[in-house]
Amino acid sequence: MSSQPAETEIARIRWEDFRTLGDRSGGVPGALRRLLAAADEDDALAAYWDLENVVVVQGQLHSAALPTVSVLLAGLLGELSADARDMVLELLRQIVMGESDEGEVALGDPGLGDRCREEARTGLWLVYRELGTRRRETAESILERIESEKPRLTAHLGGLRGK
């Protein structure tokens, strides 16, 4: 793995305390490690699909999505392959666009989407950095959902027009 902060995040979380689709929380740490270590598109996509449809399913969030956000942000600090970075941002986008799964709502957690977006705001500038890359569209989509100061986003996007 190329990101010590991400590894520390993965190791400190008690993944078994979180829910996923199909009770697969035990597989989340390994999938995150594979995603962050992916050297090419095939590896990144394989790891991505071991997380998408597990922590987030068609916009429906399971509780494991919340600590996944923290790991993804920590991963963005590291030297990731371009393909891994693409999939990290895409998974982050899927999560911040989501809302609580009906099972989470039934268990008393209707605000999981808001908490995931709040967690994502802790890495706001990591996402802003991606505006200058091939991941601009994904980063912009994430920022539109998590940025609380819309004039700041507008200013940054205006500075990129034509580039």
Side-chain angles (χ1 to χ4, degrees), residues 26-49:
V28 173
L32 286 165
R33 286 181 179 106
R34 289 191 311 280
L35 175 59
L36 297 171
D40 59 37
E41 184 179 21
D42 289 340
D43 291 344
L45 281 170
Y48 171 85
W49 286 112

Side-chain angles (χ1 to χ4, degrees), residues 85-104:
R85 194 168 288 272
D86 289 349
M87 292 297 96
V88 165
L89 263 290
E90 178 55 28
L91 185 58
L92 184 60
R93 186 182 73 79
Q94 292 293 326
I95 292 171
V96 302
M97 296 297 179
E99 299 298 339
S100 295
D101 175 77
E102 65 184 35
E104 297 295 334

